[in-house]
């Protein structure tokens, strides 16, 4: 395992959620960038693939699930560990997310402990 | 509360559950007895102690249960479950190939996350244990936690802690805001109320014992007594799993840690051969 700082892209249309997630992930030693919808996130990933993506479901322009499907088609788009983090908590949504290529799923409201646990299970911390 | 009353309660707890309550835990006593006092229509700690001195059995039981720590989560600490899947299960599949029987005991099962984690692993490996008779027995002192375990209902917070989402969608259904473990997993575990200080006669023998995060509350003599009696229920090739902060070292030599397998203990005779765990 290298010592290189891992890069996490936080994709959420809520500035407050991005801020909270940033704070938690920075404490876990991630370098953070933010995107406020799927389209912006996809452009960012084309520039540089992050190691991890914390992804919201409902966003304008391009939803989380549309983004994820598109991402997995990109060159190197299979690499980021994608953790959905959303208020949608019905099994049908979660199953869709897994089928679209999500690695983990966090139901909001989240806290530091859950984020840390899920990122650890995904081998990121 | 007078020091004498504290002593009285501490001794009762030690006798009934093994719990060692040091004087710095007075705050714990105070915060946990409140709900019990209300349930029994008592005004406060002093009234509770008076009733305990008058041998109120139901109250004594409730106080004892209230003082235990029941926290648990799915796949807690992960490695004890990795070892089950990669080390103990394969070893047992070989060793018990003739009888095709496997018995596992979760000796402090609490709300069921530990036995259900094992049940899910076994279900994921069902091709390997086809035609096998696998039993998972979960016991605990507290009837309260056991009824929660039997119900198999968990909050959103509980199903997120430790449980990979793939297993969550596969083995749970959503009931309003709660998550319910499916019947085919639930039915793999049998629950029984049992005090670890009491006799283990009637439990039968086991191949694997999970006794995690409970010995930590006991004094050394109590730990030793429990471990030595557990050893009698395990064959020479059996496995014992303890919690991350627990060890057999310095307590008893009926078990010894298995080199390279964090949390796993075995009988000494079994410890010499290659423990080839990465
Ligand atoms: C912290 S939980 C451990 C749960 C699970 N093994 C784990 O590691 O996540 C401890 C459990 O031990 C039970 N317990 C405490 N004293 C006991 C005793 N004397 N006999 C049986 N169970 C006991 C408590 O009721 C509680 O549910």
């Amino acid at each position: 395992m290298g010592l290189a700082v891992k890069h996490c892209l936080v994709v959420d249309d809520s500035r407050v959620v991005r801020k909270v997630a940033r704070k938690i992930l920075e404490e876990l030693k991630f370098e953070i960038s933010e995107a406020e919808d799927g389209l912006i996130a996809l452009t960012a990933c084309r520039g540089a693939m992050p190691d991890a993506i914390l992804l919201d479901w409902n966003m304008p322009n391009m939803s989380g699930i549309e983004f994820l499907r598109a991402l997995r088609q990109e060159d190197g788009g299979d690499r980021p560990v994608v953790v959905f983090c959303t208020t949608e908590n019905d099994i049908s949504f979660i199953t869709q997310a897994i089928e679209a290529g999500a690695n983990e799923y966090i139901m909001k409201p989240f806290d530091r402990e859950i984020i840390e646990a899920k990122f650890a299970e995904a081998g990121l911390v | 509360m007078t020091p004498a009353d504290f002593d009285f309660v501490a001794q009762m707890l030690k006798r009934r559950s093994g719990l060692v309550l040091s004087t710095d835990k007075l705050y714990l006593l105070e915060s946990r007895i409140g709900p019990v006092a209300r349930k029994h229509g008592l005004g406060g700690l002093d009234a509770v102690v008076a009733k305990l001195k008058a041998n109120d059995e139901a109250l004594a039981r409730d106080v004892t249960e209230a003082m235990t720590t029941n926290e648990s989560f799915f796949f807690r600490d992960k490695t004890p479950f990795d070892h089950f899947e990669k080390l103990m299960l394969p070893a047992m599949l070989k060793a018990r190939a003739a009888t095709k029987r496997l018995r596992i005991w979760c000796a402090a099962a609490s709300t069921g996350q530990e036995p259900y984690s094992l049940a899910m692993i076994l279900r994921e490996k069902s091709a390997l244990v086809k035609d096998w008779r696998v039993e998972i027995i979960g016991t605990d002192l507290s009837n309260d936690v056991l009824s929660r375990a039997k119900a198999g209902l968990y909050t959103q917070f509980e199903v997120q802690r430790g449980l990979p989402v793939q297993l969550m969608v596969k083995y749970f259904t959503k009931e309003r805001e709660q998550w319910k473990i499916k019947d085919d997993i639930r039915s793999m575990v049998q629950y029984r109320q049992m005090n670890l200080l009491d006799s283990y006669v009637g439990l039968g023998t086991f191949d694997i014992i999970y006794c995690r995060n409970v010995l930590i509350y006991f004094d050394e003599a109590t730990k030793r007594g429990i471990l030595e009696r557990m050893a009698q229920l395990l064959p020479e090739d059996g496995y014992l799993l303890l919690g991350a902060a627990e060890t057999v070292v310095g307590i008893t030599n009926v078990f010894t840690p298995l080199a390279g397998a964090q949390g796993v203990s075995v009988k000494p005779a079994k410890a010499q051969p290659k423990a080839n765990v990465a």
Side-chain angles (χ1 to χ4, degrees):
Chain A
M1 207 178 282
L3 288 171
V5 175
K6 293 213 166 100
H7 173 204
C8 182
L9 177 64
V10 176
V11 191
D12 201 306
D13 57 341
S14 154
R15 208 167 56 83
V16 178
V17 171
R18 289 201 307 271
K19 203 173 147 193
V20 174
R22 171 186 282 274
K23 186 160 178 292
I24 294 172
L25 288 163
E26 277 179 350
E27 276 167 22
L28 296 173
K29 303 277 179 280
F30 280 91
E31 186 186 295
I32 307 299
S33 51
E34 299 179 17
E36 57 198 60
D37 66 43
L39 218 50
I40 297 171
L42 199 58
T43 312
C45 288
R46 283 178 182 144
M49 277 297 167
D51 300 293
I53 301 173
L54 193 68
L55 184 62
D56 185 25
W57 193 290
N58 284 311
M59 290 175 294
N61 300 323
M62 185 188 255
S63 73
I65 199 91
E66 287 164 343
F67 160 77
L68 180 53
R69 290 194 185 114
L71 171 77
R72 295 305 194 201
Q73 303 299 314
E74 294 283 320
D75 260 2
D78 53 345
R79 206 173 56 87
V81 171
V82 174
V83 179
F84 251 106
C85 184
T86 162
T87 45
E88 307 296 349
N89 61 6
D90 275 325
I91 292 217
S92 60
F93 280 100
I94 301 172
T95 310
Q96 260 187 71
I98 295 172
E99 280 166 2
N103 300 82
E104 259 301 345
Y105 202 97
I106 295 172
M107 298 175 268
K108 281 182 192 163
F110 59 83
D111 65 3
R112 191 202 141 101
E113 192 191 350
I114 295 289
I115 293 209
E116 186 170 359
K118 291 294 183 195
F119 274 68
E121 280 157 35
L124 286 164
V125 279
Chain B
M1 186 178 218
T2 66
D5 279 355
F6 183 86
D7 265 4
F8 172 81
V9 177
Q11 270 174 39
M12 180 198 87
L13 292 171
K14 168 99 194 305
R15 191 175 65 246
R16 297 186 75 104
S17 76
L19 177 72
V20 175
L21 193 72
S22 48
T23 41
D24 60 324
K25 294 283 163 60
L26 178 61
Y27 74 93
L28 200 65
L29 194 62
E30 282 169 339
S31 66
R32 295 215 183 149
I33 295 307
V36 181
R38 272 193 295 283
K39 177 179 161 194
H40 287 257
L42 299 166
L45 206 48
D46 291 336
V48 169
V49 174
K51 272 268 187 183
L52 289 175
K53 286 185 172 162
N55 289 320
D56 185 327
E57 173 61 26
L59 180 64
R61 200 180 317 124
D62 286 352
V63 167
T64 308
E65 288 198 12
M67 290 309 295
T68 58
T69 298
N70 306 121
E71 189 187 42
S72 188
F73 40 101
F74 291 102
F75 296 93
R76 182 175 193 169
D77 301 335
K78 203 162 178 291
T79 43
F81 299 93
D82 290 344
H83 290 325
F84 176 71
E85 188 180 333
K86 303 202 173 97
L87 167 78
M88 299 183 274
L89 185 59
M92 283 298 163
L93 288 173
K94 241 198 228 157
R96 304 289 181 269
T99 56
K100 296 198 169 183
R101 282 198 63 181
L102 185 61
R103 294 191 87 227
I104 304 167
W105 179 21
C106 290
S110 189
T111 37
Q113 287 92 330
E114 182 178 277
Y116 289 142
S117 298
L118 295 170
M120 283 186 271
I121 295 172
L122 284 162
R123 185 54 50 131
E124 290 285 297
K125 302 264 164 201
S126 56
L128 296 177
V129 289
K130 201 171 150 271
D131 310 327
W132 279 63
R133 199 168 137 212
V134 181
E135 283 178 88
I136 306 173
I137 319 281
T139 63
D140 201 283
L141 174 74
S142 158
N143 279 307
D144 233 39
V145 293
L146 288 177
S147 56
R148 287 202 52 210
K150 283 180 203 159
L153 267 178
Y154 298 94
T155 64
Q156 184 164 300
F157 181 71
E158 288 170 321
V159 285
Q160 300 218 81
R161 265 183 114 180
L163 184 65
V165 69
Q166 287 81 359
L167 296 181
M168 186 186 87
V169 292
K170 202 159 161 189
Y171 296 119
F172 289 76
T173 54
K174 205 175 161 207
E175 291 202 352
R176 292 202 191 87
E177 286 314 299
Q178 306 244 84
W179 294 81
K180 188 172 180 136
I181 198 143
K182 287 188 179 167
D183 280 341
D184 58 337
I185 300 294
R186 209 155 54 99
S187 62
M188 290 172 71
V189 184
Q190 296 168 44
Y191 291 103
R192 260 187 241 177
Q193 195 273 340
M194 205 201 85
N195 189 336
L196 287 172
L197 305 183
D198 291 345
S199 157
Y200 303 162
V201 171
L203 277 176
T205 58
F206 295 95
D207 303 295
I208 301 171
I209 300 178
Y210 276 72
C211 180
R212 306 190 62 233
N213 302 303
V214 63
L215 294 184
I216 194 166
Y217 302 106
F218 303 157
D219 66 15
E220 209 178 297
T222 309
K223 289 180 195 171
R224 183 178 310 115
I226 290 171
L227 290 171
E228 292 182 351
R229 287 184 301 128
M230 284 183 169
Q232 292 168 10
L233 307 187
L234 270 185
E236 289 308 305
D237 60 354
Y239 296 96
L240 169 76
L241 281 103
L242 298 180
E246 296 160 336
T247 178
V248 294
V249 176
I251 309 279
T252 173
N253 51 22
V254 294
F255 288 109
T256 179
L258 183 62
Q262 164 94 54
V264 185
S265 296
V266 292
K267 299 237 174 144
K270 164 98 177 146
Q272 273 90 23
K274 70 291 161 201
N276 46 1
V277 195

